[in-house]
Amino acid sequence: MSFRNVALLGATGNLGSKILAALNAAGYTVTAIQRKDSKNVAQRAAKSIKVDLSNGPELAEAFKGQDVVVSAVPNPKLETEKIWMDAAISANIKRIVPSEYSTNLEVAPSQKLPIVKDKMEIRRYVEELANSGKIEWTSINNGPFMVNYLWLSGWMGPNPTTKVTTYHDGGDKIVASSTLERIGEAVAKVLTLEHAESTKNKPIYIYSAAISERKMTRVLEKVMGIKFEERRMKISDLVDEADEALKKGDYSKMMNYYMPFCFTDEYRGDFRYQAWNEKLGLKVMTDSEIEDMARSWIESSSSA
């Protein structure tokens, strides 16, 4: 199966813009599907169509002539996602790529986490669509984004500003993490003639580097020439705190659940065992490349 024309939702976001760039680089013709009131420019999209994203018939009209619809919409919920998915079926779209971009959703403990409830509902819906022969799907999962606003936040690992690093359950657990560019490459790769059939109706896992909080801290110490003060936290305490908050209807601690998702063994945040990097020809970063990336992060933050 050959795909050429791709409609992209969320094309101007942090991730969507990288997916757009990767699709362009791979030779796809990309149409950005944007909100009617959007003022953002989808850089280098073949065209942009502004629609009411809650209007199924309007979306179906916008999707005409496309082969694939890719979503990079942040924080997706089934009630809104199914609108464009049903519209894609009406427009005879061949494949959809839902906005999954998560850590390991294939193990039972992960599927029960409150933070992935919406994505699991969407996954089940696209599986139902595929099982009934209405449309094909592929999702990309990538672990935590390998971006400075996550890995240099001190929330997970080191904070160069405070010179304090946070270690959860010791800081040595490995999680597979991906740059936004790598995620974009993966989206483009799974739609190629070479891989379209093998990636049909499957979640595809990819990563840029397998890394721990301690390793990222050591990288920053080397790059910056300093030592970080260590702060230790127990993941079980964070989960207990989040559970108690939820019982009271307080959702402010929801991201506490992200720590077991990444770093507790049963959740398998180190998903290298099922990664498609080799099959798709996606390289893994070397230690030297991780250091260069961290150095660029520090330089960009100091010049801001």
Side-chain angles (χ1 to χ4, degrees):
M1 181 175 292
S2 178
F3 302 129
R4 181 53 46 201
N5 299 316
V6 179
L8 177 60
L9 294 152
T12 62
N14 288 337
L15 176 58
S17 59
K18 298 298 190 293
I19 293 175
L20 173 56
L23 289 169
N24 277 331
Y28 296 95
T29 301
V30 185
T31 297
I33 307 297
Q34 298 181 269
R35 298 188 319 273
K36 273 189 174 173
D37 60 350
S38 176
K39 304 261 192 307
N40 297 325
V41 176
Q43 297 291 341
R44 294 183 59 228
K47 64 178 175 177
S48 174
I49 301 177
K50 296 186 177 181
V51 299
D52 178 356
L53 297 180
S54 66
N55 186 313
E58 204 169 313
L59 279 164
E61 183 64 27
F63 291 157
K64 281 185 178 177
Q66 304 297 318
D67 300 311
V68 179
V69 178
V70 175
S71 177
V73 173
N75 305 314
K77 294 183 181 297
L78 179 59
E79 61 188 291
T80 52
E81 294 299 281
K82 75 186 301 292
I83 297 172
W84 73 257
M85 292 177 184
D86 293 347
I89 293 170
S90 297
N92 296 314
I93 296 296
K94 298 171 186 173
R95 186 169 300 188
I96 55 175
V97 179
S99 184
E100 203 155 273
Y101 314 112
S102 191
T103 305
N104 196 341
L105 297 178
E106 311 316 309
V107 293
S110 294
Q111 294 169 3
K112 298 173 185 175
L113 284 171
I115 54 170
V116 300
K117 175 179 175 290
D118 292 321
K119 289 188 177 182
M120 288 309 305
E121 287 178 351
I122 294 167
R123 168 76 77 85
R124 294 185 187 104
Y125 186 66
V126 297
E127 287 176 336
E128 288 173 10
L129 295 178
N131 290 339
S132 61
K134 293 179 179 178
I135 204 164
E136 300 171 1
W137 66 279
T138 304
S139 67
I140 302 296
N141 286 299
N142 38 257
F145 293 167
M146 187 163 274
V147 290
N148 59 350
Y149 51 82
L150 177 61
W151 280 104
L152 300 190
S153 66
W155 178 66
M156 190 164 81
N159 183 326
T161 302
T162 63
K163 299 178 176 57
V164 175
T165 188
T166 303
Y167 290 154
H168 293 90
D169 287 2
D172 293 310
K173 297 295 185 181
I174 298 289
V175 66
S177 181
S178 299
T179 64
L180 303 183
E181 290 81 3
R182 170 53 43 80
I183 300 168
E185 291 176 58
V187 172
K189 286 276 190 180
V190 300
L191 300 177
T192 61
L193 181 61
E194 180 182 1
H195 300 296
E197 187 60 31
S198 62
T199 60
K200 181 174 74 173
N201 299 336
K202 291 175 185 171
I204 303 301
Y205 284 78
I206 57 93
Y207 69 104
S208 296
I211 195 160
S212 67
E213 293 172 313
R214 188 177 298 278
K215 180 172 181 177
M216 185 61 83
T217 301
R218 296 292 175 259
V219 167
L220 264 291
E221 288 179 336
K222 181 177 180 181
V223 167
M224 298 178 69
I226 64 170
K227 293 293 288 183
F228 281 79
E229 177 186 340
E230 296 179 3
R231 180 177 70 144
R232 297 175 180 273
M233 300 188 74
K234 290 177 63 176
I235 292 176
S236 60
D237 289 344
L238 293 174
V239 172
D240 288 345
E241 182 183 46
D243 287 344
E244 285 303 311
L246 273 186
K247 288 176 186 176
K248 300 171 185 174
D250 177 2
Y251 293 87
S252 66
K253 304 297 182 183
M254 283 287 280
M255 287 308 294
N256 284 15
Y257 293 114
Y258 200 63
M259 291 308 159
F261 198 24
C262 291
F263 297 123
T264 300
D265 289 342
E266 64 183 331
Y267 296 89
R268 308 204 73 175
D270 181 3
F271 54 71
R272 287 177 289 177
Y273 68 94
Q274 62 181 350
W276 279 62
N277 284 55
E278 186 173 347
K279 294 175 186 175
L280 297 177
L282 298 173
K283 66 189 291 289
V284 176
M285 295 175 74
T286 64
D287 286 349
S288 177
E289 288 170 332
I290 295 172
E291 289 175 15
D292 288 342
M293 178 186 62
R295 189 174 292 107
S296 72
W297 288 348
I298 296 299
E299 290 172 353
S300 63
S301 64
S302 62
S303 63

